[in-house]
Amino acid sequence: LRVRVPSARSVELAGDFTNWQPIALKQGDTDEWEVTLPIAPGVHRLAIRVDGDRWTTPPGVVAVADEFQGTVGVIVVR
């Protein structure tokens, strides 16, 4: 997974495929942060946290309401 987050000092990812446990992404080129994870095919929900702030939908990912009055992103893994 790769996400572009300008000026970030840290980026974490959590999703149904991590049991909602935060995973730190590593900084790649310039503003890109990335992590490689085994993710089963299917529809998955996820969120990111930048610099320890609140959890948000990753940029460029469709957002849907979650059961906690917030939003999460949805991705499809084939």
Side-chain angles (χ1 to χ4, degrees), residues 34-76:
E34 58 190 17
V35 65
T36 301
L37 299 170
I39 303 175
V43 178
H44 296 282
R45 300 179 340 151
L46 71 156
I48 62 168
R49 179 167 54 187
V50 178
D51 298 336
D53 203 358
R54 65 183 180 84
W55 289 98
T56 62
T57 302
V61 174
V62 174
V64 297
D66 68 10
E67 60 271 21
F68 303 106
Q69 288 75 46
T71 60
V72 293
V74 174
I75 60 170
V76 176

Side-chain angles (χ1 to χ4, degrees), residues 2 6 8 11 16-17 25 29-30 36-37 39 42 54 56 62:
R2 183 177 299 142
V11 178
D16 55 17
F17 48 88
L25 278 69
D29 296 334
T30 316
T36 301
L37 299 170
I39 303 175
R54 65 183 180 84
T56 62
V62 174

